[in-house]
Amino acid sequence: MTNYSFSLLTGDTGPLVKGTRPDCLRIPIHAHKPILASGDQVLSGTKIAEAKADGHGDLHSPLAGTIREVDSFSMRIEVTGNTRTDSETPPGDSGESLSRWLHNLGINVSRFRRAQTLIINAVPPEPGISIYEPLLRDYRKTLELGLDTVERMVEPTKIFLVAAKGNRANAFANCTVMHVAPTYPNGLDQLVIKAVTGRETLPGATPENTVLLSVSDLYLIGRVMETGRPATETVMTIDGQNLLVRIGTPVGFLVAEAGGSVQPGDRVVLGGLMRGIPALNLEQGVGRDSTGLHVVRKGEGLESTDNFCLGCGECERHCPARIMPGMISRCAEFKHFARAETFHVHSCIECGICGYWCKAQRPLLQYIRLAKFEIALLRTATSPAKEPEKEKDSDKCPEKTDD
Ligand code: SF4
Ligand code: SF4
């Protein structure tokens, strides 16, 4: 990790490849309310869960099979085939019915409000993730259809395509291309918004009159419009290869598909190496927001410790949100979570740069996430937490026999 590259240059990547079919899916449903139960049969495209809140579309099964288990976090489906539900015809208008139709087919439409500025983020979110490159090169028609659909709902007067300087990014019609330096964390949404509008916003927020989407978002919307079928896939970079992966595909299956293996002590990281989250086990399924997968070999990653903060200020010097990660980490370490708010913990865009530079190798991003989580619990807690469910043998996916 000491010679980690912060470059966001992707070079020429190969085509987007469709991932092979797993025998078992474990679909994350923590943001959804399941509408089917264990024992129910599903087809590819059957709706399995409804979004509980804004920020998500409904969920559908990517493959046909039988639901074997449903808990608060995931739905396990034993796959038997690829028989599909019928495709639907998109509504002709551009208003509420189109938005509702897209939501029903899995698209997060909560961002689509009337706005003057539409920003398309084509900057890789993290080093080693190149998912936008093949989409911009090989799927122009799908992206244009996605953009046309979004334009019908947002009605922007200005459209910006923001790319890392040196990466491929041909403009769409009526669209201005902007370049940012190809260095992490310039691809994170808050920094892209700042590059275009000059305004700083809290994570998850956009300035009034501005809507931001990624190239992957446009692609998924375009595919739903093209096919009339639900969005059940995500685009991921795995070991340098860009794959179209069915949501719920177990991470162990994807590692094996990429020709890799996981040894005791290795960590499988979902997302990039700066801000990704280790998978709990090899049966965990990828979600809609998964953009990459990395195996960190035992002893190769940066080993964080509970060393004391040295007060050196190195983390502050690199923080793009201009806050004090060292102070926030101390609040979290000593369980003074509410005090972390006085140090603007909610301004943190979770880039992880502070932890990389920390002289004491403290797990700063993890402390910050803990503080945010505990503050949210303090605000919303109304009943004692439930005992976490233990993993059962039935959690495990059957061994793969063929594709
Ligand atoms: S992760 Fe660290 S460096 Fe990044 S915004 Fe948050 S506090 Fe700042
Ligand atoms: S870089 Fe690490 S040791 Fe230095 S002030 Fe920040 S948290 Fe403390």
Side-chain angles (χ1 to χ4, degrees), residues 315 318-325 328 345 347-355 364-365 368:
C315 51
H318 291 90
C319 174
R322 298 179 289 106
I323 57 177
M324 300 169 75
I328 296 171
V345 64
S347 296
C348 168
I349 59 172
E350 300 190 13
C351 66
I353 285 276
C354 50
L364 298 185
L365 176 57
I368 288 167

Side-chain angles (χ1 to χ4, degrees), residues 23-87:
D23 293 329
C24 172
L25 297 166
R26 184 172 284 282
I27 302 173
I29 57 165
H30 51 271
H32 292 81
K33 181 172 152 228
I35 56 172
L36 297 178
S38 181
D40 287 343
Q41 306 282 320
V42 292
L43 299 178
S44 166
T46 301
K47 189 184 284 191
I48 55 172
E50 289 175 344
K52 281 198 277 205
D54 280 357
H56 304 274
D58 292 341
L59 266 181
H60 304 74
S61 175
L63 289 164
T66 307
I67 298 173
R68 290 295 180 204
E69 193 186 347
V70 183
D71 61 29
S72 316
F73 304 104
S74 63
M75 179 180 285
R76 187 166 67 88
I77 298 175
E78 195 177 294
V79 174
T80 53
N82 199 19
T83 316
R84 297 170 163 209
T85 53
D86 294 335
S87 58

Side-chain angles (χ1 to χ4, degrees), residues 188-235:
L188 301 188
D189 286 348
Q190 259 46 47
L191 298 184
V192 168
I193 291 169
K194 187 178 173 188
V196 175
T197 67
R199 294 181 58 186
E200 292 186 333
T201 50
L202 291 176
T206 47
E208 207 183 329
N209 266 325
T210 303
V211 168
L212 179 134
L213 297 169
S214 71
V215 172
S216 291
D217 292 328
L218 279 192
Y219 172 73
L220 293 176
I221 295 165
R223 256 176 84 88
V224 168
M225 295 297 288
E226 259 173 2
T227 62
R229 300 192 47 73
T232 57
E233 290 154 329
T234 181
V235 188

Side-chain angles (χ1 to χ4, degrees), residues 241-401:
Q241 192 179 26
N242 292 309
L243 287 175
L244 189 61
V245 175
R246 296 171 177 92
I247 55 168
T249 303
V251 295
F253 180 90
L254 290 172
V255 172
E257 190 179 11
S261 63
V262 181
Q263 305 302 326
D266 294 348
R267 272 175 292 175
V268 180
V269 178
L270 271 169
L273 290 175
M274 290 303 289
R275 60 201 309 257
I277 296 190
L280 296 174
N281 53 46
L282 295 179
E283 282 80 43
Q284 182 174 335
V286 299
R288 271 204 183 120
D289 51 356
S290 302
T291 54
L293 196 69
H294 292 86
V295 179
V296 180
R297 296 288 169 213
K298 185 179 178 185
E300 279 185 2
L302 179 70
E303 287 301 325
S304 293
T305 71
D306 57 356
N307 282 338
F308 293 119
C309 170
L310 307 171
C312 65
E314 195 66 21
C315 51
E316 288 174 40
R317 276 191 276 282
H318 291 90
C319 174
R322 298 179 289 106
I323 57 177
M324 300 169 75
M327 288 304 294
I328 296 171
S329 72
R330 285 188 245 176
C331 295
E333 185 177 15
F334 297 108
K335 298 188 170 53
H336 296 174
F337 300 113
R339 191 157 179 241
E341 287 195 274
T342 63
F343 292 102
H344 307 286
V345 64
H346 292 295
S347 296
C348 168
I349 59 172
E350 300 190 13
C351 66
I353 285 276
C354 50
Y356 177 84
W357 291 106
C358 177
K359 298 288 183 201
Q361 296 191 317
R362 286 163 61 80
L364 298 185
L365 176 57
Q366 288 72 19
Y367 275 135
I368 288 167
R369 285 177 170 160
L370 174 68
K372 287 183 178 179
F373 177 77
E374 293 288 344
I375 291 166
L377 273 189
L378 283 172
R379 284 186 182 153
T380 59
T382 52
S383 58
K386 280 189 192 166
E387 282 264 320
E389 289 182 28
K390 287 190 183 145
E391 191 182 77
K392 305 172 205 147
D393 280 343
S394 60
D395 283 349
K396 298 197 170 94
C397 295
E399 282 191 7
K400 179 180 180 299
T401 50

